[in-house]
Amino acid sequence: MKNLLVILLGVITLVGCSGKTGDQGITGPQGSTGPYTYQASLQNGIWQNGTYNGELDTWFASTGGNGYANSYRRITTGTNVGGYSRSILKFDVSSIPTNATIVSAELVMRTLPSTSVTSTPVTIGCHNFITNEYSGGCTWNSTATWNNAWTSTAWSICSSDSSVSQLGYIQTPAFSSVVFTNSTTNPETVSWSVPPSVVKTWLTQINNEGLILKSEGEFGEPAANVDFSPYNDATATNRPTLNILYQ
């Protein structure tokens, strides 16, 4: 009995006792703070408390003329070059620091009820201008037509393409594309991704020629047209927007 009592007391002693808590280890170094990410939503009459007015767009048809004065920007398709048109647009990005790292960018457009697409879908791609447009000084303005960048200055001066199709100033392939069907005639918001490297070029190059929207099926498609709200649409929130994330 005595021996059993001694054993029990030993067990209680082992269970009930604990050593002194050691000192806390050294805390590891903290990581550096990551860069802040900013968003610029460039849209006439909205960005910068409504003061931004740096977006310009127009459209032109292969049959000649200029659609700058129209209340829409049109991309048409047809079975031959004579039934075709494109839209071009550019944004003033000078509010973004030239040394910024561009994370992502997207072009956002609003379609109009005047859009008319047949049972054959229309794929519209978003393109950049060729490099020569930047270095050659072929800066387009609101007078641009199928053959001319402005007034009497031909696209071919920089693109060396004097053919009827006038594809020489367009960088291929498209960055991204949107498919329009005969069920998309009601107004809707659509978007195309734009590579960060393209936006960076606009920040660092002398000329910023912007973007081209064109059908990817040139030129053998059934007649159709996709219309978008222009830079001066009566409803400011319908106007083209370039969303840019940067650090």
Side-chain angles (χ1 to χ4, degrees), residues 40-55 91-92 108-110 189 229-231 233 235-243:
S41 294
L42 308 180
Q43 186 178 41
N44 284 355
I46 300 295
W47 175 241
Q48 294 177 326
N49 296 318
T51 63
Y52 180 80
N53 194 36
E55 189 266 322
F91 295 80
D92 181 350
V108 181
M109 302 282 283
R110 182 73 174 170
T189 300
S229 297
Y231 76 100
D233 190 272
T235 302
T237 53
N238 287 344
R239 298 167 184 170
T241 305
L242 183 66
N243 292 319

Side-chain angles (χ1 to χ4, degrees), residues 89 107-111 188-192 213 228-229 238 240:
L89 64 165
L107 170 67
V108 181
M109 302 282 283
R110 182 73 174 170
T111 62
E188 64 175 350
T189 300
V190 295
S191 63
W192 293 262
L213 293 177
F228 300 99
S229 297
N238 287 344

Side-chain angles (χ1 to χ4, degrees), residues 67-78:
Y68 179 70
N70 296 142
S71 60
Y72 54 85
R73 295 297 174 255
R74 175 164 288 177
I75 296 170
T76 57
T77 62

Side-chain angles (χ1 to χ4, degrees), residues 1-6:
M1 185 68 178
K2 182 177 180 181
N3 291 339
L4 178 60
L5 181 61
V6 171

Side-chain angles (χ1 to χ4, degrees), residues 37-40 96 101-107 192-197 199 242-247:
T37 299
Y38 305 90
Q39 177 168 330
I96 299 175
T101 297
I102 308 301
V103 178
S104 65
E106 67 169 354
L107 170 67
W192 293 262
S193 61
V194 179
S197 59
V199 179
L242 183 66
N243 292 319
I244 303 174
L245 290 180
Y246 66 95
Q247 298 174 338

Side-chain angles (χ1 to χ4, degrees), residues 113-196:
S114 52
T115 294
S116 177
V117 180
T118 67
S119 58
T120 302
V122 174
T123 300
I124 296 179
C126 183
H127 295 256
N128 192 18
F129 283 83
I130 62 169
T131 304
N132 289 346
E133 292 297 320
Y134 298 111
S135 59
C138 296
T139 302
W140 65 267
N141 60 25
S142 60
T143 66
T145 65
W146 186 267
N147 292 312
N148 296 331
W150 59 279
T151 316
S152 59
T153 300
W155 294 109
S156 60
I157 290 178
C158 292
S159 68
S160 299
D161 179 15
S162 57
S163 67
V164 176
S165 60
Q166 284 295 298
L167 292 170
Y169 61 85
I170 302 172
Q171 191 79 264
T172 56
F175 306 143
S176 57
S177 59
V178 176
V179 178
F180 295 84
T181 67
N182 57 5
S183 64
T184 58
T185 54
N186 291 323
E188 64 175 350
T189 300
V190 295
S191 63
W192 293 262
S193 61
V194 179

